[in-house]
Amino acid sequence: MTAPSPELEQQFDATVARKDRIEPRDWMPEAYRKTLVRQIAQHAHSEIIGMQPEGNWIGRAPSLRRKAILLAKVQDEAGHGLYLYSACETLGVTRDELTRMLIEGRQKYSSIFNYPTLSYADVGTIGWLVDGAAICNQVPLCRTSFGPYGRAMIRICKEESFHQRQGFELLMTMMRGTDEQRAMVQESVDRFWWPALMMFGPPDADSPNTEQSMAWGIKTHTNDALRQKFVDMSVPQATALGVTLPDPELRWNEERGHHDFGQPDWAEFMRVVKGGGPCNAQRVAHRKRAWEDGAWVREAALAFAEREAAAQQEVSA
Amino acid sequence: MPEIHTHTPDAHDSAYDGLLVDDAHWAFGTDFEDPLAGVDTSVPDDVDAGALATYCLMLGDDALVLSQRLAEWCSNAPDLEEDIALANIALDLLGQARLLLARAAAADPSLVPALPDGSPVPDEDRLAFFRDEAQFRNVRLAEVPNGDFAEVIARVLLFSTWRLALFEQLRHSRDAVLAAVAAKGVKELAYHRDFSGRWFVTLARGTEESRRRLLTALDDLWPLWPELLATHPVEQQVASARVGVAPSTVAAQAEVILEQVFAAGDVTRPERPAMGGVAGGTGRDGRHTETMGRLLAEMQVVARAHPEGLW
């Protein structure tokens, strides 16, 4: 790539400064493009890998209505993956390339999906806490500087917010059920609370990419600010549900106007990010198997389309 | 796809806004509602309620059990578009099953398994999760284990071609509920048949590998096809009362459609003997393949662990 003219760089900087959108055909710094590919791909992969932990319960959903809700939700996640891969393709990479990066472990996805789903309550908890945390992270991205990403996020946030309500509603319903069901909900919240807090990423002091991403308008809030917001919003919800959040340090701080809370086990976070979570290998192996098992189908579709196109040409010739 | 609750994006600055507010915009409702609310569920005078209910179970179980198998494809399809399409088909069938099971329960409450007094489990779930294998009336094509993508395509093609032919007639049922279920189902099944038909031809004419797999899948499923076209005494009874459809009466029509798809893919109709019954019975009699018990074990495990559970 030749060095950009100062004019192009100025235009780019001015667009970001006015909080306007950068579009795929606009000039952009190579590092900006790379950062976006990394972030959007990671986000797309998270949607696709995220189908697995909840998909784990579709076959065992305890009512037909819950089965329909869960299947439709997991299907929505595939749809989100599609929008995001499409947004990423506007930056000059293909879905095939991105899928390969995922199954070869060269790109990451949200670590939360490396935890197992162990009871039906987890379906509700993932909706309430995991989708809730995802929304906190993603709402600011609706205003991100890259147009296709921001527009995909608007659509995704609407659906995620809907999923979150469904998850919360499942937990509310279970809390009105039997003692066993209430215990199931509490046990699930105990397991998912800390991993949900980890979803905002490491503390700001240890987040190397935050500063540049904020300067580019890709990211608009820091990890710690979003985490605080999530905790403040979750506490009254937990009270409404009748569950206890498993943090002895959690209390309202009048002076700050926010809740004080404990820190997740960041050593565990790093272990899971580096592949040492309970489901890392399983999640990637599942994706890899589905992709490889489907290779002959994709090849057949391509061969068929080529033959049809050739036949069409012969007819019109 | 579910109805989507919309807000301006800024309204999502608080992820929890309105979470506790009673809101009518939730797809699938916020509480269990009688899916037949407002529909005339009375059984025509000259129709045997038990036969009507059993017939609804047959059609409902076909949809429920195939939906269970199709949902196993979720996150396993060759590409995202097919993952979404198979989930759509599973969701359509699940929707049909819910209405049909609810209709069965309304027509003949004695078919609904009893649970402890005060159990909040609704009728459709009692029928889905608390009946035993021999009480399921689905055809065996619905239950056999999943194979590769060619297998699911061939299975959906056979199933939707047959069910669409049935539902086109069932729209004229004297039972208002069945007529309404069929009217809605026809549109769904037309899509299922179209999706599977296009893929059938694509695989048949794609690569050598895809053709080989497709022919193998079709050959393996073919012995289950005659069971779909046979008329069970209950089906005969409801057909005579003009509330149901005898499959034998739509056999020719279904065969013609299949022949058209086969011709487009240059596929010849397999020559395989029909799969035999067990002690004179098939799926419609509650006599299933060995895999059915395991399918139900998975489907029913959580519900059965909580007979008084509220979901």
Side-chain angles (χ1 to χ4, degrees):
Chain A
M1 220 176 180
T2 52
S5 71
E7 213 174 302
L8 285 172
E9 267 191 292
Q10 275 167 12
Q11 273 174 16
F12 173 85
D13 291 343
T15 306
V16 172
R18 331 186 265 283
K19 299 197 186 309
D20 213 342
R21 303 276 207 202
I22 303 292
E23 295 299 335
R25 287 172 187 203
D26 295 344
W27 180 87
M28 62 187 81
E30 185 54 21
Y32 173 87
R33 196 190 72 86
K34 271 195 180 149
T35 301
L36 274 171
V37 169
R38 181 177 61 84
Q39 184 172 334
I40 303 174
Q42 181 165 329
H43 193 162
H45 298 330
S46 299
E47 297 283 356
I48 299 308
I49 295 288
M51 295 169 73
Q52 293 178 37
E54 289 182 280
N56 180 36
W57 287 93
I58 294 170
R60 293 174 288 171
S63 80
L64 297 182
R65 175 173 164 256
R66 289 295 171 196
K67 193 189 283 287
I69 290 173
L70 181 57
L71 180 53
K73 180 193 168 175
V74 178
Q75 183 194 39
D76 280 352
E77 287 166 6
H80 295 173
L82 264 184
Y83 312 154
L84 288 163
Y85 283 128
S86 301
C88 215
E89 286 186 317
T90 67
L91 293 163
V93 282
T94 66
R95 204 204 297 179
D96 271 27
E97 286 167 342
L98 295 171
T99 302
R100 267 177 235 289
M101 303 262 260
L102 170 66
I103 62 184
E104 288 166 11
R106 290 188 284 140
Q107 281 179 340
K108 295 196 184 309
Y109 54 88
S110 177
S111 278
I112 190 76
F113 302 120
N114 290 319
Y115 291 89
T117 51
L118 303 177
S119 80
Y120 203 77
D122 288 3
V123 170
T125 308
I126 286 179
W128 174 41
L129 294 178
V130 174
D131 293 340
I135 294 166
C136 283
N137 267 329
Q138 291 170 5
V139 164
L141 292 175
C142 295
R143 288 187 291 267
T144 195
S145 57
F146 187 58
Y149 190 27
R151 287 187 290 273
M153 289 319 305
I154 290 172
R155 215 168 143 183
I156 290 170
C157 280
K158 286 176 184 173
E159 295 184 4
E160 289 293 354
S161 135
F162 179 73
H163 296 161
Q164 194 213 8
R165 290 157 150 261
Q166 286 179 325
F168 188 74
E169 189 257 341
L170 168 60
L171 297 182
M172 276 294 230
T173 306
M174 289 179 69
M175 292 302 284
R176 288 192 284 119
T178 63
D179 288 343
E180 288 86 354
Q181 288 183 293
R182 277 184 284 278
M184 206 191 285
V185 172
Q186 181 64 59
E187 190 275 333
S188 172
V189 170
D190 288 347
R191 266 186 294 115
F192 272 101
W193 174 250
W194 292 113
L197 289 191
M198 295 176 194
M199 286 176 68
F200 298 93
D204 294 346
D206 307 322
S207 178
N209 298 322
T210 294
E211 199 182 341
Q212 179 64 73
S213 281
M214 289 187 73
W216 277 332
I218 295 174
K219 215 167 155 172
T220 53
H221 295 64
T222 70
N223 296 352
D224 285 333
L226 290 168
R227 189 164 17 247
Q228 178 72 61
K229 191 169 182 174
F230 175 74
V231 171
D232 288 342
M233 292 192 292
S234 300
V235 169
Q237 298 299 326
T239 309
L241 262 183
V243 296
T244 312
L245 298 174
D247 179 358
E249 295 174 46
L250 184 65
R251 63 181 58 85
W252 177 250
N253 182 327
E254 192 67 54
E255 211 170 296
R256 291 202 306 126
H258 291 291
H259 291 85
D260 292 338
F261 57 97
Q263 285 296 306
D265 178 349
W266 291 115
E268 175 182 312
F269 174 76
M270 288 315 299
R271 274 199 305 278
V272 178
V273 167
K274 291 192 168 129
C279 301
N280 298 58
Q282 176 191 335
R283 299 291 186 238
V284 173
H286 179 129
R287 191 74 221 114
K288 186 164 186 276
R289 178 184 45 69
W291 181 250
E292 287 171 356
D293 285 356
W296 68 271
V297 179
R298 296 189 300 274
E299 283 158 19
L302 200 64
F304 180 73
E306 280 168 2
R307 199 163 310 145
E308 290 292 289
Q312 205 69 41
Q313 260 180 352
E314 248 170 62
V315 170
S316 52
Chain B
M1 301 284 276
E3 184 193 323
I4 290 160
H5 180 67
T6 51
H7 272 315
T8 56
D10 284 350
H12 293 280
D13 271 352
S14 168
Y16 294 89
D17 264 355
L19 202 60
L20 292 175
V21 179
D22 184 33
D23 191 322
H25 293 278
W26 296 45
F28 307 101
T30 52
D31 206 347
F32 184 82
E33 284 163 21
D34 180 356
L36 300 182
V39 180
D40 177 13
T41 56
S42 61
V43 178
D45 278 347
D46 54 335
V47 175
D48 182 85
L52 172 62
T54 303
Y55 180 60
C56 290
L57 285 184
M58 290 173 171
L59 295 180
D61 289 345
D62 289 340
L64 176 60
V65 171
L66 183 56
S67 173
Q68 180 78 7
R69 283 294 184 218
L70 291 175
E72 290 174 14
W73 272 96
C74 189
S75 81
N76 290 297
D79 222 334
L80 294 176
E81 288 83 351
E82 285 68 53
D83 216 291
I84 291 170
L86 291 173
N88 254 339
I89 298 174
L91 280 166
D92 286 344
L93 293 175
L94 183 54
Q96 292 177 12
R98 292 182 64 188
L99 292 168
L100 288 160
L101 295 189
R103 179 54 179 148
D108 184 358
S110 74
L111 286 176
V112 180
L115 291 179
D117 280 349
S119 166
V121 176
D123 285 345
E124 62 174 40
D125 292 333
R126 290 180 187 222
L127 284 169
F129 300 105
F130 293 89
R131 270 182 303 155
D132 291 330
E133 178 177 335
Q135 295 167 305
F136 276 78
R137 299 292 199 129
N138 57 283
V139 293
R140 291 174 295 177
L141 178 73
E143 77 205 31
V144 289
N146 285 342
D148 60 9
F149 187 72
E151 190 278 333
V152 73
I153 289 303
R155 183 173 355 187
V156 172
L157 177 68
L158 297 180
F159 185 86
S160 60
T161 300
W162 165 68
R163 192 168 173 93
L164 180 55
L166 285 178
F167 272 37
E168 280 171 346
Q169 300 304 313
L170 196 60
R171 283 183 295 184
H172 312 298
S173 170
R174 287 167 65 220
D175 182 73
V177 180
L178 278 177
V181 169
K184 180 168 182 282
V186 159
K187 293 173 205 146
E188 297 167 345
L189 293 161
Y191 161 72
H192 306 171
R193 194 181 70 180
D194 185 52
F195 169 82
S196 54
R198 277 185 294 119
W199 267 111
F200 187 96
V201 174
T202 302
L203 297 181
R205 300 164 64 109
T207 60
E208 264 178 53
E209 167 83 347
S210 69
R211 183 172 179 82
R212 181 188 65 74
R213 284 177 181 260
L214 182 76
L215 296 179
T216 304
L218 185 65
D219 221 42
D220 289 348
L221 291 172
W222 198 251
L224 292 159
W225 174 247
E227 185 180 338
L228 274 57
L229 304 179
T231 299
H232 187 273
V234 168
E235 289 168 320
Q236 190 57 59
Q237 196 182 345
V238 290
S240 303
R242 291 185 293 120
V243 295
V245 180
S248 56
T249 62
V250 301
Q253 192 196 336
E255 296 273 13
V256 166
I257 302 281
L258 278 190
E259 291 297 342
Q260 286 171 357
V261 180
F262 290 176
D266 194 21
V267 169
T268 45
R269 192 187 152 95
E271 301 267 350
R272 294 283 306 273
M275 184 189 279
V278 179
T282 61
R284 286 283 184 253
D285 305 290
R287 298 227 170 79
H288 294 281
T289 59
E290 289 180 346
T291 64
M292 182 67 172
R294 278 189 289 276
L295 179 145
L296 292 179
E298 178 182 0
M299 186 174 89
Q300 298 179 334
V301 62
V302 180
R304 286 202 180 207
H306 302 273
E308 295 178 78
L310 184 63
W311 306 100

